[in-house]
Amino acid sequence: MVSTPIFCSRGSRRPGRGNSRRQVSIIETWSMWHGDVEPLGYDAAKATALLAEAKADGYDGRITYTTTSSPVARSQALAIQSMLQAVGFTVDIDYQTSSGDVSKKVRVQQDYDLAFSGLSLAEVSPFIRLYSGLQSESTNNVFGYQNPAMDAALIKVQAATDEAE
């Protein structure tokens, strides 16, 4: 369970890179495409309870976070590690030499537990990136996200004849 506001303040700001936007929604609130669906909240108590259930079922509670070794990435990794450890995980950090090495491990080898990534959307046409990044059978779905409800929503968006639909 990672709190985006805490992560942004501990991770992105620490190296002196200025203020990062604290966004928890895939589409920013200023966008014409922003809806009324609330993003997932930060609930450490629920995360602790769910982890306890998983451990009771045999999960050992260990997770490895894969990232680069840049100063910003190290800072973010420590923030993520501290938040996950606070709810009971044992977190190892797997520092890779470059973003290419992270991409290879995550996207090609698919040998990771947790990594940091994003999906950029163009305001003028977000559908293309949403479909390629979130549709279950898309070859560009590097996150491995699969959800029949999302697939149905993407088909509905694709069939829309105007912005109101």
Side-chain angles (χ1 to χ4, degrees), residues 30-91:
W30 55 260
S31 171
M32 67 184 277
W33 306 110
H34 189 269
D36 59 357
V37 176
E38 290 294 319
L40 296 175
Y42 178 71
D43 188 341
K46 185 174 181 180
T48 301
L50 290 171
L51 181 57
E53 287 178 29
K55 285 180 176 180
D57 286 339
Y59 173 60
D60 65 2
R62 294 193 76 83
I63 192 164
T64 300
Y65 177 69
T66 302
T67 189
T68 65
S69 58
S70 74
V72 171
R74 285 181 174 276
S75 183
Q76 291 171 339
L78 293 174
I80 289 169
Q81 183 183 49
S82 68
M83 285 183 275
L84 290 171
Q85 287 177 338
V87 298
F89 283 96
T90 300
V91 181

Side-chain angles (χ1 to χ4, degrees), residues 24-164:
V24 294
S25 175
I26 193 168
I27 298 176
E28 299 224 32
T29 55
W30 55 260
S31 171
M32 67 184 277
W33 306 110
H34 189 269
D36 59 357
V37 176
E38 290 294 319
L40 296 175
Y42 178 71
D43 188 341
K46 185 174 181 180
T48 301
L50 290 171
L51 181 57
E53 287 178 29
K55 285 180 176 180
D57 286 339
Y59 173 60
D60 65 2
R62 294 193 76 83
I63 192 164
T64 300
Y65 177 69
T66 302
T67 189
T68 65
S69 58
S70 74
V72 171
R74 285 181 174 276
S75 183
Q76 291 171 339
L78 293 174
I80 289 169
Q81 183 183 49
S82 68
M83 285 183 275
L84 290 171
Q85 287 177 338
V87 298
F89 283 96
T90 300
V91 181
D92 298 311
I93 302 174
D94 178 17
Y95 291 110
Q96 298 293 303
T97 305
S98 68
S99 58
D101 291 337
V102 172
S103 289
K104 179 180 175 184
K105 190 161 192 163
V106 172
R107 296 177 182 191
V108 177
Q109 298 169 339
Q110 297 181 343
D111 180 22
Y112 71 102
D113 293 327
L114 179 65
F116 181 76
S117 188
L119 179 66
S120 62
L121 302 175
E123 178 72 11
V124 67
S125 180
F127 171 76
I128 295 168
R129 288 297 305 236
L130 286 171
Y131 187 89
S132 68
L134 299 175
Q135 199 278 337
S136 296
E137 301 300 319
S138 171
T139 56
N140 289 326
N141 181 349
V142 297
F143 304 114
Y145 181 79
Q146 295 184 351
N147 184 320
M150 176 60 77
D151 293 343
L154 290 168
I155 290 170
K156 186 176 176 182
V157 169
Q158 186 177 28
T161 57
D162 63 25
E163 294 170 0

Side-chain angles (χ1 to χ4, degrees), residues 3-21:
S3 164
T4 300
I6 292 172
F7 171 72
C8 286
S9 65
R10 288 185 185 169
S12 299
R13 289 183 181 182
R14 193 182 297 172
R17 296 272 179 152
N19 293 333
S20 61
R21 286 196 306 258

